[in-house]
Amino acid sequence: MISFELSEEQRVAQATIGEFARAELRPVAQAIDREGQIGAPTLAALWSAEIIQAQAADDAAGQRSPIMNALLLEELAAADATLALATAAPMAFVQAIVDQGSAAQREALLPLFSAGAFQAAAVLLMEPGFRFDVTRLAATAERAGGGYVLRGGKTLVPLAADCSHFLVIASSAGAPDAFIVPRAAAGVDVGAAPGTLGLRGLCL
C-alpha cells in the first residue's frame, strides 16, 4: 500500500520553515518587490535556514530528498515566491555539482556553500525571446584548446549580478551540455534587468 503521509521528520521541517517564513519573510515581501532588491538581512535570514547548505549533505541523512525540498520551498513560497526562488536557484546549482560534478569540482565549489554568508549561484537555461525552444538552444559551446568558448545569452537568472558561478546549459556538438562558468570569467556580462510583473527582487 502506498502512503502519502509525511514522515515525522518532514512534518517537523515543514512546520519549522513555515513558521520561519511567516515570521521573517512575509513581513518584508512587499518592500522587496517595491524596491526591486533583496536586502542583506533577508539574504542572511534565508541562509540561516540552512536549506541551501543541506543540499551538499550526505543523502543517507535525508537532507536533500526531492520531497523534503518541495515541502520547504512550498513553505517559503507561501510567504513570498521571490524569496523561494532566491533559495531554489543556488539549491539547483549545488544539487547539480553534487550529483554530476567531478571530484575536483565538488572539492572546489561545495565549500563556498558552507560559508557564513549567502552564496548566490544559478542554472542558466532560459534564453531571451518568445521563440525560445529548450530543444533548440541558441547558446553554443565550442571546443577551443583545452576548454570551451561559450556564445549566447541567457535570461531569467535569479540574483545574476550576485552569483559567484553559473551552470550554463548550451548546445555542444549538437546536444545540450552543462558548463560551470565563474561570474568573473572573461566575456561574462550581466546586463540590466528588464522590467517584470512581480519577482522584482530577483533582478531577473
Side-chain angles (χ1 to χ4, degrees):
M1 178 177 176
I2 298 175
S3 173
F4 295 97
E5 291 294 323
L6 300 182
S7 67
E8 179 64 20
E9 179 187 17
Q10 290 168 338
R11 286 194 296 269
V12 170
Q14 182 185 47
T16 300
I17 295 301
E19 182 178 352
F20 161 78
R22 289 187 293 272
E24 300 289 339
L25 306 184
R26 186 173 292 169
V28 300
Q30 286 189 354
I32 288 172
D33 193 65
R34 184 171 57 250
E35 297 167 7
Q37 63 179 353
I38 304 173
T42 302
L43 291 176
L46 284 174
W47 196 250
S48 72
E50 298 191 357
I51 300 172
I52 298 169
Q53 300 93 311
Q55 304 312 302
D58 185 352
D59 279 348
Q63 295 295 309
R64 56 184 301 266
S65 75
I67 294 175
M68 179 69 85
N69 286 341
L71 290 171
L72 301 186
L73 289 173
E74 182 180 53
E75 292 301 318
L76 295 181
D80 184 44
T82 292
L83 297 174
L85 287 172
T87 304
M91 284 174 66
F93 180 88
V94 173
Q95 289 167 358
I97 300 304
V98 171
D99 292 338
Q100 304 294 332
S102 66
Q105 289 168 339
R106 292 194 294 270
E107 183 178 358
L109 295 171
L110 294 183
L112 298 176
F113 297 88
S114 60
F118 187 92
Q119 184 75 26
V123 178
L124 279 57
L125 175 62
M126 298 292 292
E127 297 177 347
F130 291 108
R131 299 183 65 183
F132 166 66
D133 183 347
V134 71
T135 66
R136 297 181 179 179
L137 296 174
T140 61
E142 297 180 359
R143 283 192 176 275
Y148 286 83
V149 173
L150 275 66
R151 296 183 175 88
K154 296 292 183 176
T155 190
L156 299 179
V157 181
L159 302 176
D162 298 323
C163 288
S164 64
H165 292 80
F166 304 111
L167 187 65
V168 180
I169 312 302
S171 178
S172 177
D177 208 342
F179 301 85
I180 299 170
V181 179
R183 168 69 177 83
V188 174
D189 178 41
V190 177
T196 57
L197 297 175
L199 305 177
R200 295 183 63 245
L202 293 174
C203 301
L204 295 168

